[in-house]
Amino acid sequence: MEAFKNSLRHRINCGTLYCCLLAFVFILLGEYTLENKYVGLLLIVLLVSEAVVLGRITMFSTILKKEDALKKRYIQEKDERLAKIREKSAEATISVFIAALTLAVLVAGCFDRLVFIILLGMDLFIILLYFVMKWYYNRQF
């Protein structure tokens, strides 16, 4: 159980570091919102991301304070059935994502060559990463 507590503390520390880095990015990008309308959209996405991380930090902090909540979270994270469900849903999600990205590559090829090449590169990278990870975990387990 002590290892799980350390894992939660590590998640809190990483989340805090992430939020500090995002605050720095907000300061840097905040000056450019008037010049570029897309920077404002990026700031909104980053703000939502930071809010989610702050919510998780708060959740982990409250879990660390209560022993029964800590045991409940430990059981929830170590449940093999839920892990198998997450594994299968992640595999299905990545397959749909690769198919959608490949379709976007085909559509972009009709309009702009640069966008086509960038999307094609990302598509090939994700496909390569998928198969490398599958090969690695098949050898690992």
Side-chain angles (χ1 to χ4, degrees):
M1 191 61 77
E2 199 61 37
F4 185 65
K5 284 183 182 180
N6 289 336
S7 170
L8 289 180
R9 287 186 192 110
H10 180 72
R11 293 179 201 177
I12 291 171
N13 291 338
C14 288
T16 304
L17 178 65
Y18 178 78
C19 288
C20 290
L21 289 174
L22 274 186
F24 183 68
V25 170
F26 281 130
I27 292 169
L28 289 177
L29 289 179
E31 299 176 12
Y32 298 108
T33 54
L34 297 176
E35 298 170 11
N36 190 344
K37 61 183 175 182
Y38 297 111
V39 173
L41 180 62
L42 177 62
L43 286 174
I44 291 171
V45 170
L46 292 177
L47 183 64
V48 170
S49 171
E50 188 164 5
V52 168
V53 171
L54 286 173
R56 290 183 61 84
I57 289 173
T58 305
M59 179 183 69
F60 292 146
S61 297
T62 55
I63 287 173
L64 279 175
K65 292 177 184 174
K66 298 177 184 176
E67 193 66 31
D68 58 330
L70 184 67
K71 288 180 183 177
K72 187 176 179 181
R73 181 68 184 198
Y74 178 79
I75 291 170
Q76 183 182 14
E77 286 193 15
K78 300 300 179 184
D79 186 15
E80 292 178 12
R81 180 179 163 269
L82 291 177
K84 193 68 171 173
I85 291 171
R86 280 192 298 265
E87 177 186 328
K88 290 295 183 185
S89 65
E91 190 172 322
T93 302
I94 196 70
S95 298
V96 169
F97 180 73
I98 288 172
L101 188 57
T102 304
L103 183 64
V105 167
L106 295 174
V107 171
C110 298
F111 297 105
D112 190 8
R113 184 182 176 127
L114 180 64
V115 175
F116 169 76
I117 292 172
I118 291 171
L119 286 177
L120 180 63
M122 289 304 301
D123 195 21
L124 294 175
F125 172 73
I126 291 171
I127 291 170
L128 177 69
L129 183 66
Y130 175 75
F131 286 114
V132 166
M133 288 299 183
K134 196 168 191 133
W135 171 79
Y136 172 76
Y137 283 115
N138 280 334
R139 290 187 51 126
Q140 190 77 3
F141 298 110

